[in-house]
Amino acid sequence: MEDNITIKFNKLYDTIRNCTKCKLYLSRKNAVIGYGNIKAKIMFIGEAPGRNEDIQGKPFVGSAGKLLDYLLNKINLKREDVYITNVVKCRPPNNRTPLKEEIDACIPYLKEEIEMIRPEIIVTLGRTSGAALSEIFGQRWEGIEKERGTIKEFEYNNMKVKMISTYHPAAALYRPEIKSKLEEDFEKISKISLQRKSKNLLDFI
Ligand code: SF4
């Protein structure tokens, strides 16, 4: 039997699949819902689906997805251990950056995902995600170069969440120097997630 949270997620996913709140629905093949563990402690948030994601209806399935898997693997995580989603759920034509009105129309779905998952760590992938999450948390976004690798703590809807911003893996496909910065940032994610685990263990003892 499905538990409450699974029922709520299925309802949200149905709404997203049928959504016509912004013009992106006109050109999408599939709206792309989140993927992974709905009880995860770590949530990764990208910008928007690309061509392969639009075809398959799953996030991060193209080359950027392969790099994300590699980065997760390096810190002993699999997709099934985390939850992965995007700020905007439908592909912008030619992979352009989502417009403000598209982000504004779609962001309530992301807020619902955050509220249902209640992650302890949110990793923003790329500037659109970093800026959108900063807005949700009522913070000023200083740009990816300044914000990348920083860890901030927020109180949001009765939850404490750490946000770490890094590059979008797609950026590393064209700029190899970004890959090593992503690896550094994923090491930080690993460290804060281990700190969290040992703290929880101490609470238990
Ligand atoms: S991008 Fe978001 S708001 Fe726009 S149609 Fe798709 S699901 Fe709806």
Side-chain angles (χ1 to χ4, degrees):
M1 211 173 98
E2 287 183 327
D3 60 12
N4 248 349
I5 189 81
T6 309
I7 293 167
K8 281 186 184 168
F9 262 101
N10 286 336
K11 205 169 156 219
L12 174 66
Y13 290 160
D14 277 348
T15 307
I16 293 172
R17 286 192 187 102
N18 295 302
C19 180
T20 56
K21 280 203 293 171
C22 81
K23 286 192 177 151
L24 293 181
Y25 90 92
L26 292 167
S27 51
R28 75 175 176 221
K29 288 190 172 60
N30 289 292
V32 176
I33 57 171
Y35 179 88
N37 186 342
I38 56 172
K39 295 184 178 153
K41 297 293 173 208
I42 312 181
M43 187 168 174
F44 287 81
I45 305 174
E47 177 177 293
R51 185 173 165 273
N52 291 306
E53 289 77 15
D54 180 50
I55 293 169
Q56 295 187 40
K58 283 189 189 156
F60 285 91
V61 289
S63 323
K66 281 202 181 95
L67 181 54
L68 180 61
D69 286 338
Y70 161 84
L71 292 162
L72 287 172
N73 198 262
K74 272 200 93 174
I75 58 167
N76 296 318
L77 288 172
K78 299 185 294 293
R79 280 188 188 224
E80 290 68 29
D81 299 323
V82 300
Y83 185 84
I84 303 171
T85 192
N86 284 303
V87 172
V88 162
K89 314 300 189 205
C90 303
R91 183 192 182 203
N94 302 317
N95 294 350
R96 65 157 166 73
T97 305
L99 305 174
K100 183 172 183 325
E101 62 260 32
E102 293 159 357
I103 295 172
D104 289 347
C106 213
I107 211 85
Y109 299 137
L110 180 61
K111 286 184 180 168
E112 261 193 75
E113 287 173 293
I114 294 171
E115 280 156 29
M116 290 199 285
I117 291 189
R118 304 184 68 77
E120 292 178 16
I121 301 167
I122 287 182
V123 183
T124 65
L125 302 168
R127 67 190 72 225
T128 300
S129 171
L133 267 293
S134 296
E135 195 174 327
I136 289 176
F137 295 137
Q139 291 292 307
R140 195 181 146 84
W141 171 250
E142 302 283 352
I144 190 79
E145 300 302 333
K146 260 199 178 167
E147 300 270 0
R148 166 252 144 185
T150 59
I151 301 163
K152 294 180 175 172
E153 285 198 56
F154 300 107
E155 297 254 354
Y156 177 72
N157 281 5
N158 296 322
M159 64 180 114
K160 279 193 178 160
V161 57
K162 287 191 169 80
M163 171 174 135
I164 175 160
S165 300
T166 189
Y167 292 103
H168 194 288
L173 302 176
Y174 307 102
R175 292 170 59 196
E177 74 278 9
I178 299 280
K179 189 176 165 194
S180 53
K181 291 182 178 170
L182 269 164
E183 285 172 342
E184 271 172 36
D185 294 343
F186 271 65
E187 273 306 315
K188 283 189 191 168
I189 297 163
S190 173
K191 275 194 193 133
I192 55 173
S193 111
L194 288 174
Q195 278 165 7
R196 177 191 66 76
K197 273 189 196 153
S198 59
K199 183 184 169 297
N200 287 354
L201 199 59
L202 284 173
D203 287 348
F204 182 72
I205 291 164

